[in-house]
Amino acid sequence: MFEFGPILRTLWRNKTGASLIILQSALTLAIVANAAFVLQQRLQLINQPTGIDEQHLFTIDIKPLGQELFSVGEIQRDTLELRQIAGVVDASYISDKPLSGHYSQSSRSAKNDDMELSVRLAQLATDPHGLHTLGVALEQGRFFNDSDMVRDLKAGKVVVISRGVADAAFGKGADVIGQQITSSGLPLTEKYKQVIKDSQLFTVVGVAADANITSVVSANDGVMFLPFYQPDKTITYLIRCQPSQCNQLMLAVPQKLKQLDNHRIITGLSTVLNNKHETLRADRTMVVMMTAAIVLVSTITGLGVIGLTLIWVNRRRWQIGVRRALGATRFNIVRYFLTENFLVTTIGLCFGAILALGLNQLLMQHYQMQALPFNYIAIGMIGVWLLGLLAAVVPVFRTTTISPSLATRSI
């Protein structure tokens, strides 16, 4: 039989200790539930697949010593020679480093008859080997050939888009091969002809699988690949290696480029994994902080419960002695105090659930957090219950070793 009546009366007479445990339990649940939710989101972001062969890719930036721009012939010669190096799967020119977070972006909306079309995309200029070098599959149509490549984007006629852009522009699952589209992603249809009448149009010749190419996390619908050599002073080559060959190739590729033309300098050399690592630096820091917060708060709560329970129990040594003298077993004493701890913790967790939801609302308003799922609160409640009970076990069991004669000596 659980003596809920005596327990509640005792708690009412010892409101300070009970209030402190209630407060600790509430704060612990609120902090741990939200921290665990943030931690899970960051881990999911860090571990999500990008859709490219990130393990076997690296980029190299080169710049001429003079002020001249690179010619198309130089770029084609370099990439052709790089593909001949043993261990190289493929090599291509690329306008932006994969997973670096730095890329050209286009966003355009159009309204017609109270209907709005909005397409957001990343623009990536590359050569006919770009898609294969990235390790991205082609779902429909074809990729670029040498005749598609242009030096001036205004002379471009064709593009390849990812599935996400195709769905956003033309509708889910639409056949887009041969359709016309602007560089900002708006399709040439009867509804939007007036909106895009002055825009340059490209013919869609291929649809690539969706992949996070330009950034680890993209707010875009997808990528538009452009057959375009940008006239920059610095250009970037993307190299895809065979497994376990990247370290050797990161030494061989710069040497090969210097042999082809020693009037150029290497301004950058990095793996795509390193780009991803740098992009996710803040997220990894957040993982460490949230983990530390969960451990720290849980430790403080556990130590606090131990300390408060010790004080609480020691003040009632005489009560324990009387009960033992009247025939109460050690199990009865342990059960009594653990039930008492359970009731106090439960009250704290009820307040903690409300506090956790309130804290989540603040995070949603100021940091664009998602709504906290109830299962995080439920699991947090179970965790804090167990933490409170385990923390109370040691001091409670210590009191049961006291003989009734010593416990009641002061009576």
Side-chain angles (χ1 to χ4, degrees):
M1 176 182 178
F2 295 100
E3 304 98 331
F4 288 110
I7 289 175
L8 294 175
R9 287 192 292 272
T10 302
L11 291 176
W12 184 254
R13 290 194 299 269
N14 298 274
K15 291 186 286 290
T16 302
S19 299
L20 289 174
I21 294 180
I22 288 172
L23 180 61
Q24 277 191 323
S25 301
L27 290 175
T28 301
L29 177 61
I31 295 172
V32 168
N34 281 281
F37 183 47
V38 173
L39 177 63
Q40 186 272 338
Q41 287 186 311
R42 291 297 182 271
L43 288 174
Q44 187 178 34
L45 172 63
I46 291 171
N47 296 322
Q48 72 174 355
T50 58
I52 66 174
D53 189 12
E54 59 187 62
Q55 301 283 344
H56 306 111
L57 291 172
F58 70 90
T59 58
I60 184 167
D61 305 323
I62 58 175
K63 180 179 180 181
L65 292 175
Q67 297 298 316
E68 68 276 8
L69 301 177
F70 282 92
S71 68
V72 172
E74 285 180 288
I75 296 173
Q76 292 175 335
R77 178 204 62 193
D78 289 345
T79 53
L80 179 61
E81 290 293 332
L82 292 178
R83 293 179 200 123
Q84 308 307 313
I85 301 176
V88 172
V89 175
D90 211 341
S92 64
Y93 161 82
I94 196 165
S95 60
D96 299 292
K97 297 179 182 180
L99 306 186
S100 65
H102 304 291
Y103 57 92
S104 299
Q105 186 177 16
S106 179
S107 178
R108 183 76 184 272
S109 299
K111 285 187 176 181
N112 186 284
D113 298 332
D114 297 325
M115 296 178 65
E116 182 175 359
L117 174 68
S118 178
V119 182
R120 299 167 299 171
L121 55 86
Q123 296 173 331
L124 189 67
T126 188
D127 64 19
H129 290 258
L131 202 65
H132 182 251
T133 305
L134 287 165
V136 178
L138 185 68
E139 291 188 353
Q140 284 183 287
R142 66 173 179 87
F143 202 62
F144 309 133
N145 53 45
D146 289 333
S147 63
D148 295 323
M149 300 302 298
V150 295
R151 181 75 187 204
D152 184 353
L153 187 57
K154 292 181 180 179
K157 296 181 179 180
V158 299
V159 293
V160 173
I161 58 178
S162 66
R163 173 51 60 189
V165 175
D167 290 344
F170 296 96
K172 187 75 172 177
D175 183 7
V176 300
I177 303 301
Q179 299 288 340
Q180 290 189 297
I181 192 173
T182 69
S183 60
S184 58
L186 293 184
L188 177 62
T189 62
E190 289 297 327
K191 289 183 178 180
Y192 304 108
K193 270 187 177 180
Q194 293 301 314
V195 178
I196 62 175
K197 61 181 179 180
D198 297 325
S199 300
Q200 182 182 2
L201 292 171
F202 300 88
T203 301
V204 178
V205 295
V207 178
D210 281 325
N212 290 338
I213 299 173
T214 52
S215 180
V216 179
V217 182
S218 177
N220 299 313
D221 294 305
V223 178
M224 175 179 284
F225 298 92
L226 303 168
F228 172 46
Y229 291 117
Q230 291 184 338
D232 293 334
K233 293 181 181 178
T234 300
I235 60 172
T236 300
Y237 293 136
L238 178 67
I239 294 90
R240 183 179 176 189
C241 326
Q242 292 179 358
S244 74
Q245 295 292 312
C246 281
N247 289 337
Q248 296 92 319
L249 288 173
M250 289 182 76
L251 297 175
V253 167
Q255 292 176 356
K256 185 64 175 181
L257 291 174
K258 288 179 181 179
Q259 290 175 5
L260 293 171
D261 188 345
N262 61 3
H263 292 90
R264 305 182 295 187
I265 57 175
I266 307 298
T267 59
L269 182 66
S270 64
T271 64
V272 169
L273 279 180
N274 186 65
N275 295 340
K276 182 179 181 180
H277 182 83
E278 291 299 318
T279 303
L280 293 172
R281 182 184 295 274
D283 298 285
R284 293 197 315 276
T285 301
M286 182 67 72
V287 168
V288 174
M289 291 176 60
M290 292 300 101
T291 303
I294 292 172
V295 173
L296 184 62
V297 171
S298 300
T299 302
I300 292 174
T301 299
L303 293 175
V305 171
I306 291 174
L308 288 171
T309 305
L310 277 172
I311 296 172
W312 200 345
V313 170
N314 285 335
R315 287 181 177 176
R316 289 186 283 173
R317 292 179 64 182
W318 64 270
Q319 178 184 347
I320 297 170
V322 170
R323 292 196 62 190
R324 290 294 307 280
L326 293 175
T329 64
R330 289 183 177 180
F331 174 77
N332 296 139
I333 302 298
V334 170
R335 185 190 65 186
Y336 177 90
F337 281 104
L338 291 184
T339 302
E340 188 175 79
N341 176 276
F342 179 82
L343 289 175
V344 173
T345 304
T346 300
I347 295 171
L349 293 178
C350 292
F351 288 109
I354 298 171
L355 189 60
L357 293 173
L359 179 58
N360 178 247
Q361 287 297 317
L362 290 176
L363 293 174
M364 289 173 62
Q365 292 176 9
H366 299 286
Y367 298 100
Q368 298 181 338
M369 279 280 295
Q370 297 179 14
L372 178 67
F374 181 76
N375 61 306
Y376 281 86
I377 297 178
I379 294 172
M381 293 177 75
I382 295 172
V384 176
W385 261 321
L386 293 175
L387 177 65
L389 290 174
L390 290 174
V393 164
V394 175
V396 168
F397 267 100
R398 284 182 59 184
T399 59
T400 62
T401 61
I402 303 172
S403 66
S405 59
L406 290 175
T408 57
R409 182 173 294 175
S410 61
I411 301 179

